[in-house]
Amino acid sequence: FTSYYRENTEPEFVLRPPPGWPERPAWLASAGCDEDLRSIHRRLYDPALLRPRNKQPSLVTYGEIISALERTAPDISIRLLGGHGQTDVERAADSSGRDSRITNALPKLVSGVSVLREGLQGAGRGGEIETRILNRVQKERRLELALAVLLRKSFLRQSSGSKRWLEERVPAISVDRTRDRRAVVRHVMSRELGLPQPLLFSSETTRLRPAPCAAPIYLDVSGSMYGLLERLYAALIPLRRQLLPEMFAFSTVVTPISKADFDAGRISTTGGTSIQPVIDHVIESSRRSGARVAVVLTDGHFTAPSKRSAAAISTLGIKVHLGVLGLGPLNDSERWVASATRLPDDLLAEKT
């Protein structure tokens, strides 16, 4: 880029770092160019602006660039790196001469895309099947998102501020050389050997994820959950990896679900439904470990626990959050229920 684009000509100087970058950048090289473009250029390449202390980074948006280009160079014409069909070699690369096997495969690919497009529009062979598949995936994604909101609201709101999130450092590749310990060596070796200067360097980025929380989830595996349990499992898989909760299955008894059993979809059930064993288990766990939060995922069809157990839940300050799948009762008027959330019920369409 530095050898191809001129540092003192607008707007192409924006496509390259200034001379001497990054150790001693000569920002005055573009002194005669538009000030808005120069500001954009500075914010794109100045490490001090990209990572300022105690401030947000100075970001550049596409809207700023487009606005500046429309004002300063409405009839813009820039030489671009890469193949753009301007020479015989480039046209050959873009044509079937590049690879005969790709040429033979293209008609089949285009035909397949056309059938899929027609199907999504409700016309052509297989359209209804493809539409149903996409609708089903969309519905299952809705259930996963609803569960994510419920679990994070129930588990993570017990802690505040930064304790709710963990910062992960993820390896990345960037043109910013300041994070690569080998950058200086690579720069010197390239210069000594007469090779092009390196463009990409090892870097890292950060992302936030919920802090793991060892809080219990009770999963209804009774007979009335038939047809719903499989989808509930599928939606729980990515959330379990994020929140790392303890999981239990309940019907008329409560049994722990190990990670291996959960991944394999193995569950045991007596077929019936009773919330009493769940409440007893929550109370016992709270007295033993001090846990104060539990989530119960169910269809809502069960009899209320004993008044004594409900009173113990209130006395111990335990928050039991219900996630009700389907059209069953919410039970939100019960004394022992801290909150009740209706999960997406459109997944019942096939069942009903």
Side-chain angles (χ1 to χ4, degrees):
F1 292 102
T2 55
S3 61
Y4 194 76
Y5 296 116
R6 292 165 291 185
E7 70 275 10
N8 57 358
T9 303
E10 64 180 41
E12 66 182 67
F13 77 94
V14 180
L15 298 176
R16 51 156 293 161
W21 183 89
E23 292 94 347
R24 292 180 297 276
W27 301 108
L28 292 178
S30 59
C33 300
D34 179 77
E35 288 301 322
D36 287 343
L37 287 178
R38 294 191 66 210
S39 173
I40 291 172
H41 187 234
R42 186 72 174 256
R43 285 183 287 151
L44 284 173
Y45 289 101
D46 192 341
L49 296 179
L50 293 175
R51 292 188 305 278
R53 293 184 179 180
N54 304 320
K55 294 182 180 179
Q56 291 294 326
S58 180
L59 302 178
V60 177
T61 67
Y62 285 115
E64 288 183 86
I65 298 175
I66 293 173
S67 176
L69 290 178
E70 287 178 342
R71 184 176 53 80
T72 60
D75 300 323
I76 184 173
S77 176
I78 305 178
R79 302 171 301 157
L80 297 176
L81 290 172
H84 301 278
Q86 301 301 314
T87 66
D88 292 337
V89 174
E90 291 174 359
R91 283 190 287 270
D94 291 334
S95 69
S96 59
R98 184 175 64 176
D99 195 325
S100 60
R101 290 175 297 176
I102 293 180
T103 303
N104 294 332
L106 278 176
K108 298 179 181 179
L109 176 61
V110 173
S111 175
V113 171
S114 300
V115 170
L116 177 60
R117 181 176 58 191
E118 292 173 359
L120 294 178
Q121 295 172 348
R125 296 176 299 169
E128 295 181 358
I129 296 176
E130 292 156 354
T131 302
R132 283 202 301 269
I133 292 173
L134 288 179
N135 287 340
R136 181 172 178 178
V137 170
Q138 199 172 34
K139 292 175 182 178
E140 291 176 354
R141 179 62 177 163
R142 287 185 60 217
L143 177 58
E144 179 186 326
L145 294 175
L147 281 171
V149 172
L150 171 63
L151 297 182
R152 290 174 181 170
K153 177 181 67 176
S154 302
F155 292 157
L156 298 180
R157 67 181 177 182
Q158 303 304 313
S159 58
S160 60
S162 60
K163 294 181 179 179
R164 296 175 55 177
W165 305 94
L166 294 179
E167 185 179 89
E168 283 186 331
R169 297 190 177 276
V170 183
I173 299 296
S174 171
V175 295
D176 180 8
R177 60 185 293 172
T178 58
R179 293 178 180 267
D180 193 337
R181 293 180 297 176
R182 305 171 302 163
V184 175
V185 175
R186 293 175 61 192
H187 177 78
V188 172
M189 292 299 297
S190 300
R191 184 180 60 194
E192 294 296 326
L193 296 175
L195 299 175
Q197 290 297 308
L199 175 63
L200 300 177
F201 301 90
S202 298
S203 183
E204 62 181 17
T205 185
T206 59
R207 64 184 178 190
L208 296 178
R209 65 177 178 85
C213 182
I217 293 178
Y218 296 86
L219 182 62
D220 189 346
V221 294
S222 62
S224 61
M225 290 289 289
Y226 176 77
L228 303 176
L229 193 57
E230 295 82 0
R231 296 186 177 108
L232 191 57
Y233 247 80
L236 278 171
I237 289 175
L239 303 178
R240 176 181 171 88
R241 291 169 181 167
Q242 290 180 19
L243 298 175
L244 302 179
E246 297 176 315
M247 296 201 65
F248 300 90
F250 78 93
S251 46
T252 56
V253 296
V254 173
T255 56
I257 305 176
S258 67
K259 183 179 183 303
D261 288 341
F262 181 86
D263 292 341
R266 291 189 295 264
I267 57 173
S268 59
T269 178
T270 62
T273 310
S274 176
I275 200 66
Q276 186 65 51
V278 175
I279 300 304
D280 292 341
H281 192 275
V282 170
I283 293 172
E284 180 184 353
S285 299
S286 178
R287 288 171 174 167
R288 184 180 63 254
S289 63
R292 292 290 185 269
V293 184
V295 170
V296 180
L297 301 179
T298 177
D299 59 3
H301 295 292
F302 52 74
T303 56
S306 66
K307 294 182 179 179
R308 183 177 180 180
S309 298
I313 290 287
S314 178
T315 301
L316 293 172
I318 300 173
K319 305 295 184 182
V320 177
H321 302 280
L322 296 185
V324 180
L325 188 68
L327 303 176
L330 283 175
N331 300 281
D332 52 348
S333 61
E334 298 291 337
R335 179 182 177 185
W336 56 275
V337 177
S339 72
T341 301
R342 177 79 66 186
L343 299 175
D345 58 11
D346 52 4
L347 294 177
L348 287 171
E350 293 181 12
K351 183 179 178 182
T352 57

Short mmCIF file of all heavy atoms in Angstrom, two decimals, residues 158-199:
data_model
loop_
_atom_site.label_atom_id
_atom_site.label_comp_id
_atom_site.label_asym_id
_atom_site.label_seq_id
_atom_site.Cartn_x
_atom_site.Cartn_y
_atom_site.Cartn_z
N GLN A 158 -27.87 -11.50 40.60
CA GLN A 158 -27.53 -11.56 42.01
C GLN A 158 -26.21 -10.86 42.30
O GLN A 158 -25.93 -10.47 43.41
CB GLN A 158 -27.44 -13.03 42.46
CG GLN A 158 -28.71 -13.81 42.20
CD GLN A 158 -29.92 -13.17 42.84
OE1 GLN A 158 -29.88 -12.80 44.02
NE2 GLN A 158 -31.00 -13.01 42.09
N SER A 159 -25.35 -10.74 41.31
CA SER A 159 -24.11 -9.98 41.45
C SER A 159 -24.21 -8.73 40.60
O SER A 159 -24.98 -8.67 39.66
CB SER A 159 -22.91 -10.83 41.01
OG SER A 159 -23.07 -11.25 39.68
N SER A 160 -23.43 -7.73 40.91
CA SER A 160 -23.55 -6.45 40.21
C SER A 160 -22.24 -6.06 39.56
O SER A 160 -21.19 -6.57 39.90
CB SER A 160 -23.97 -5.36 41.21
OG SER A 160 -23.01 -5.24 42.24
N GLY A 161 -22.35 -5.11 38.61
CA GLY A 161 -21.16 -4.53 38.00
C GLY A 161 -20.34 -5.55 37.22
O GLY A 161 -20.85 -6.47 36.60
N SER A 162 -19.03 -5.35 37.28
CA SER A 162 -18.12 -6.17 36.48
C SER A 162 -18.08 -7.61 36.93
O SER A 162 -17.61 -8.48 36.19
CB SER A 162 -16.71 -5.57 36.54
OG SER A 162 -16.25 -5.55 37.88
N LYS A 163 -18.56 -7.93 38.12
CA LYS A 163 -18.51 -9.31 38.59
C LYS A 163 -19.42 -10.21 37.77
O LYS A 163 -19.27 -11.42 37.80
CB LYS A 163 -18.93 -9.37 40.06
CG LYS A 163 -17.95 -8.68 41.01
CD LYS A 163 -18.43 -8.81 42.45
CE LYS A 163 -17.45 -8.15 43.40
NZ LYS A 163 -17.91 -8.24 44.81
N ARG A 164 -20.38 -9.62 37.05
CA ARG A 164 -21.30 -10.41 36.25
C ARG A 164 -20.66 -10.92 34.97
O ARG A 164 -21.19 -11.82 34.33
CB ARG A 164 -22.54 -9.59 35.92
CG ARG A 164 -23.35 -9.21 37.13
CD ARG A 164 -24.50 -8.30 36.76
NE ARG A 164 -25.34 -8.89 35.73
CZ ARG A 164 -26.45 -8.31 35.27
NH1 ARG A 164 -26.83 -7.15 35.75
NH2 ARG A 164 -27.15 -8.89 34.32
N TRP A 165 -19.52 -10.35 34.57
CA TRP A 165 -18.94 -10.69 33.28
C TRP A 165 -17.45 -10.98 33.42
O TRP A 165 -16.78 -10.40 34.26
CB TRP A 165 -19.15 -9.55 32.28
CG TRP A 165 -20.59 -9.17 32.13
CD1 TRP A 165 -21.26 -8.19 32.79
CD2 TRP A 165 -21.54 -9.81 31.27
NE1 TRP A 165 -22.57 -8.16 32.40
CE2 TRP A 165 -22.77 -9.14 31.47
CE3 TRP A 165 -21.47 -10.86 30.37
CZ2 TRP A 165 -23.93 -9.49 30.79
CZ3 TRP A 165 -22.62 -11.22 29.69
CH2 TRP A 165 -23.82 -10.54 29.90
N LEU A 166 -16.98 -11.87 32.59
CA LEU A 166 -15.56 -12.18 32.52
C LEU A 166 -15.01 -11.71 31.18
O LEU A 166 -15.69 -11.83 30.15
CB LEU A 166 -15.31 -13.68 32.69
CG LEU A 166 -15.66 -14.29 34.04
CD1 LEU A 166 -15.36 -15.79 34.03
CD2 LEU A 166 -14.90 -13.61 35.17
N GLU A 167 -13.80 -11.18 31.19
CA GLU A 167 -13.17 -10.72 29.96
C GLU A 167 -12.23 -11.79 29.44
O GLU A 167 -11.33 -12.24 30.14
CB GLU A 167 -12.40 -9.42 30.22
CG GLU A 167 -11.82 -8.80 28.96
CD GLU A 167 -11.09 -7.51 29.25
OE1 GLU A 167 -9.88 -7.58 29.53
OE2 GLU A 167 -11.73 -6.44 29.20
N GLU A 168 -12.47 -12.23 28.22
CA GLU A 168 -11.63 -13.25 27.58
C GLU A 168 -10.76 -12.58 26.51
O GLU A 168 -11.23 -11.71 25.77
CB GLU A 168 -12.50 -14.32 26.91
CG GLU A 168 -13.09 -15.33 27.86
CD GLU A 168 -13.81 -16.44 27.11
OE1 GLU A 168 -14.31 -16.18 26.01
OE2 GLU A 168 -13.87 -17.55 27.64
N ARG A 169 -9.52 -13.01 26.44
CA ARG A 169 -8.63 -12.53 25.39
C ARG A 169 -8.56 -13.58 24.29
O ARG A 169 -8.26 -14.75 24.56
CB ARG A 169 -7.24 -12.24 25.95
CG ARG A 169 -7.26 -11.13 26.99
CD ARG A 169 -5.86 -10.68 27.36
NE ARG A 169 -5.88 -9.57 28.29
CZ ARG A 169 -6.00 -8.31 27.93
NH1 ARG A 169 -6.10 -8.00 26.65
NH2 ARG A 169 -6.02 -7.34 28.84
N VAL A 170 -8.83 -13.16 23.07
CA VAL A 170 -8.92 -14.06 21.93
C VAL A 170 -7.86 -13.69 20.91
O VAL A 170 -7.73 -12.52 20.54
CB VAL A 170 -10.32 -13.97 21.28
CG1 VAL A 170 -10.44 -14.98 20.13
CG2 VAL A 170 -11.40 -14.21 22.32
N PRO A 171 -7.04 -14.67 20.45
CA PRO A 171 -6.03 -14.37 19.43
C PRO A 171 -6.67 -13.83 18.15
O PRO A 171 -7.77 -14.24 17.77
CB PRO A 171 -5.36 -15.73 19.19
CG PRO A 171 -5.65 -16.53 20.41
CD PRO A 171 -6.99 -16.08 20.89
N ALA A 172 -5.95 -12.92 17.48
CA ALA A 172 -6.47 -12.32 16.25
C ALA A 172 -5.29 -11.93 15.37
O ALA A 172 -4.13 -11.97 15.78
CB ALA A 172 -7.34 -11.11 16.56
N ILE A 173 -5.60 -11.56 14.12
CA ILE A 173 -4.61 -11.07 13.17
C ILE A 173 -4.99 -9.63 12.83
O ILE A 173 -6.15 -9.33 12.55
CB ILE A 173 -4.58 -11.93 11.89
CG1 ILE A 173 -4.20 -13.37 12.22
CG2 ILE A 173 -3.60 -11.35 10.88
CD1 ILE A 173 -2.81 -13.52 12.80
N SER A 174 -4.01 -8.72 12.85
CA SER A 174 -4.31 -7.32 12.64
C SER A 174 -3.13 -6.64 11.95
O SER A 174 -2.01 -7.14 11.96
CB SER A 174 -4.58 -6.64 13.99
OG SER A 174 -4.67 -5.24 13.86
N VAL A 175 -3.40 -5.47 11.37
CA VAL A 175 -2.33 -4.66 10.80
C VAL A 175 -1.62 -3.85 11.88
O VAL A 175 -0.58 -3.23 11.62
CB VAL A 175 -2.88 -3.70 9.71
CG1 VAL A 175 -3.42 -4.48 8.53
CG2 VAL A 175 -3.95 -2.78 10.28
N ASP A 176 -2.17 -3.85 13.07
CA ASP A 176 -1.54 -3.15 14.20
C ASP A 176 -0.40 -4.01 14.74
O ASP A 176 -0.61 -5.11 15.23
CB ASP A 176 -2.59 -2.92 15.29
CG ASP A 176 -2.00 -2.18 16.49
OD1 ASP A 176 -0.84 -1.73 16.40
OD2 ASP A 176 -2.70 -2.08 17.52
N ARG A 177 0.82 -3.50 14.64
CA ARG A 177 1.99 -4.27 15.02
C ARG A 177 2.35 -4.13 16.49
O ARG A 177 3.27 -4.81 16.96
CB ARG A 177 3.19 -3.83 14.17
CG ARG A 177 3.54 -2.36 14.34
CD ARG A 177 4.64 -1.94 13.39
NE ARG A 177 5.90 -2.58 13.69
CZ ARG A 177 6.97 -2.50 12.93
NH1 ARG A 177 6.90 -1.81 11.80
NH2 ARG A 177 8.08 -3.10 13.26
N THR A 178 1.68 -3.27 17.23
CA THR A 178 2.11 -2.96 18.59
C THR A 178 1.91 -4.12 19.56
O THR A 178 2.51 -4.14 20.63
CB THR A 178 1.36 -1.73 19.12
OG1 THR A 178 -0.06 -1.99 19.07
CG2 THR A 178 1.67 -0.51 18.26
N ARG A 179 1.08 -5.09 19.24
CA ARG A 179 0.84 -6.22 20.13
C ARG A 179 1.65 -7.45 19.76
O ARG A 179 1.57 -8.46 20.44
CB ARG A 179 -0.66 -6.57 20.14
CG ARG A 179 -1.54 -5.49 20.75
CD ARG A 179 -3.00 -5.91 20.67
NE ARG A 179 -3.87 -4.91 21.25
CZ ARG A 179 -4.30 -4.91 22.51
NH1 ARG A 179 -3.90 -5.88 23.32
NH2 ARG A 179 -5.10 -3.96 22.97
N ASP A 180 2.40 -7.39 18.68
CA ASP A 180 3.18 -8.54 18.21
C ASP A 180 4.63 -8.38 18.67
O ASP A 180 5.33 -7.47 18.22
CB ASP A 180 3.10 -8.64 16.69
CG ASP A 180 3.61 -9.97 16.17
OD1 ASP A 180 4.41 -10.62 16.88
OD2 ASP A 180 3.21 -10.37 15.06
N ARG A 181 5.10 -9.28 19.54
CA ARG A 181 6.46 -9.19 20.05
C ARG A 181 7.50 -9.44 18.97
O ARG A 181 8.67 -9.06 19.12
CB ARG A 181 6.65 -10.19 21.19
CG ARG A 181 5.84 -9.86 22.45
CD ARG A 181 6.06 -10.88 23.52
NE ARG A 181 5.62 -12.20 23.11
CZ ARG A 181 5.76 -13.31 23.84
NH1 ARG A 181 6.37 -13.25 25.00
NH2 ARG A 181 5.31 -14.46 23.40
N ARG A 182 7.10 -10.09 17.89
CA ARG A 182 8.04 -10.38 16.81
C ARG A 182 8.08 -9.29 15.75
O ARG A 182 8.81 -9.40 14.77
CB ARG A 182 7.65 -11.69 16.13
CG ARG A 182 7.53 -12.89 17.07
CD ARG A 182 6.93 -14.06 16.34
NE ARG A 182 5.63 -13.69 15.81
CZ ARG A 182 4.99 -14.38 14.85
NH1 ARG A 182 5.57 -15.43 14.30
NH2 ARG A 182 3.81 -13.99 14.42
N ALA A 183 7.30 -8.24 15.93
CA ALA A 183 7.15 -7.23 14.87
C ALA A 183 8.48 -6.58 14.51
O ALA A 183 8.81 -6.41 13.33
CB ALA A 183 6.12 -6.17 15.30
N VAL A 184 9.27 -6.19 15.52
CA VAL A 184 10.54 -5.51 15.26
C VAL A 184 11.49 -6.43 14.51
O VAL A 184 12.15 -6.04 13.53
CB VAL A 184 11.17 -5.02 16.57
CG1 VAL A 184 12.55 -4.43 16.31
CG2 VAL A 184 10.28 -4.00 17.25
N VAL A 185 11.58 -7.69 14.94
CA VAL A 185 12.46 -8.65 14.28
C VAL A 185 12.03 -8.86 12.84
O VAL A 185 12.86 -8.89 11.92
CB VAL A 185 12.46 -9.99 15.05
CG1 VAL A 185 13.29 -11.03 14.31
CG2 VAL A 185 13.00 -9.79 16.45
N ARG A 186 10.73 -9.01 12.61
CA ARG A 186 10.25 -9.21 11.25
C ARG A 186 10.54 -8.00 10.38
O ARG A 186 10.88 -8.12 9.20
CB ARG A 186 8.75 -9.50 11.27
CG ARG A 186 8.37 -10.83 11.92
CD ARG A 186 6.87 -10.99 12.00
NE ARG A 186 6.26 -10.98 10.68
CZ ARG A 186 4.96 -10.89 10.46
NH1 ARG A 186 4.15 -10.74 11.49
NH2 ARG A 186 4.49 -10.90 9.23
N HIS A 187 10.40 -6.81 10.96
CA HIS A 187 10.67 -5.58 10.22
C HIS A 187 12.13 -5.50 9.82
O HIS A 187 12.48 -5.21 8.66
CB HIS A 187 10.27 -4.37 11.09
CG HIS A 187 10.58 -3.06 10.45
ND1 HIS A 187 9.81 -2.50 9.47
CD2 HIS A 187 11.62 -2.19 10.66
CE1 HIS A 187 10.33 -1.35 9.09
NE2 HIS A 187 11.42 -1.13 9.80
N VAL A 188 13.03 -5.78 10.78
CA VAL A 188 14.48 -5.70 10.51
C VAL A 188 14.89 -6.76 9.50
O VAL A 188 15.65 -6.49 8.55
CB VAL A 188 15.27 -5.85 11.82
CG1 VAL A 188 16.76 -5.96 11.53
CG2 VAL A 188 14.98 -4.68 12.75
N MET A 189 14.41 -8.00 9.66
CA MET A 189 14.78 -9.08 8.75
C MET A 189 14.30 -8.79 7.32
O MET A 189 15.01 -9.06 6.36
CB MET A 189 14.20 -10.40 9.25
CG MET A 189 14.82 -10.90 10.55
SD MET A 189 16.59 -11.21 10.39
CE MET A 189 16.60 -12.53 9.17
N SER A 190 13.07 -8.26 7.21
CA SER A 190 12.56 -7.93 5.87
C SER A 190 13.42 -6.88 5.21
O SER A 190 13.73 -6.96 4.01
CB SER A 190 11.11 -7.45 5.98
OG SER A 190 10.30 -8.44 6.54
N ARG A 191 13.85 -5.87 5.98
CA ARG A 191 14.69 -4.80 5.42
C ARG A 191 16.05 -5.33 5.02
O ARG A 191 16.57 -5.00 3.94
CB ARG A 191 14.83 -3.69 6.46
CG ARG A 191 15.61 -2.48 5.95
CD ARG A 191 15.70 -1.44 7.04
NE ARG A 191 16.38 -2.00 8.22
CZ ARG A 191 16.38 -1.43 9.41
NH1 ARG A 191 15.70 -0.32 9.63
NH2 ARG A 191 17.02 -2.00 10.42
N GLU A 192 16.65 -6.19 5.87
CA GLU A 192 17.98 -6.72 5.57
C GLU A 192 17.96 -7.64 4.37
O GLU A 192 18.93 -7.70 3.60
CB GLU A 192 18.53 -7.46 6.80
CG GLU A 192 18.81 -6.57 7.99
CD GLU A 192 19.90 -5.55 7.70
OE1 GLU A 192 20.84 -5.90 6.94
OE2 GLU A 192 19.80 -4.42 8.21
N LEU A 193 16.88 -8.39 4.20
CA LEU A 193 16.80 -9.35 3.09
C LEU A 193 16.19 -8.75 1.83
O LEU A 193 16.05 -9.43 0.82
CB LEU A 193 15.97 -10.57 3.52
CG LEU A 193 16.57 -11.40 4.67
CD1 LEU A 193 15.61 -12.51 5.09
CD2 LEU A 193 17.91 -12.01 4.25
N GLY A 194 15.78 -7.48 1.91
CA GLY A 194 15.18 -6.84 0.75
C GLY A 194 13.80 -7.34 0.42
O GLY A 194 13.39 -7.32 -0.75
N LEU A 195 13.09 -7.79 1.43
CA LEU A 195 11.74 -8.32 1.22
C LEU A 195 10.70 -7.26 1.55
O LEU A 195 10.99 -6.28 2.24
CB LEU A 195 11.53 -9.55 2.12
CG LEU A 195 12.48 -10.73 1.88
CD1 LEU A 195 12.25 -11.81 2.92
CD2 LEU A 195 12.28 -11.29 0.48
N PRO A 196 9.47 -7.44 1.05
CA PRO A 196 8.41 -6.48 1.40
C PRO A 196 8.19 -6.45 2.91
O PRO A 196 8.34 -7.47 3.60
CB PRO A 196 7.17 -7.04 0.68
CG PRO A 196 7.73 -7.89 -0.42
CD PRO A 196 9.00 -8.47 0.11
N GLN A 197 7.81 -5.31 3.41
CA GLN A 197 7.53 -5.18 4.84
C GLN A 197 6.29 -5.98 5.21
O GLN A 197 5.32 -6.03 4.44
CB GLN A 197 7.33 -3.72 5.22
CG GLN A 197 8.59 -2.89 5.15
CD GLN A 197 9.63 -3.37 6.16
OE1 GLN A 197 9.33 -3.51 7.33
NE2 GLN A 197 10.82 -3.62 5.67
N PRO A 198 6.30 -6.65 6.35
CA PRO A 198 5.13 -7.43 6.76
C PRO A 198 3.91 -6.55 6.96
O PRO A 198 4.02 -5.42 7.45
CB PRO A 198 5.57 -8.09 8.07
CG PRO A 198 6.70 -7.24 8.56
CD PRO A 198 7.39 -6.71 7.35
N LEU A 199 2.74 -7.08 6.58
CA LEU A 199 1.50 -6.32 6.69
C LEU A 199 0.65 -6.77 7.87
O LEU A 199 0.04 -5.96 8.56
CB LEU A 199 0.69 -6.47 5.39
CG LEU A 199 -0.70 -5.83 5.37
CD1 LEU A 199 -0.60 -4.33 5.53
CD2 LEU A 199 -1.43 -6.20 4.08
#
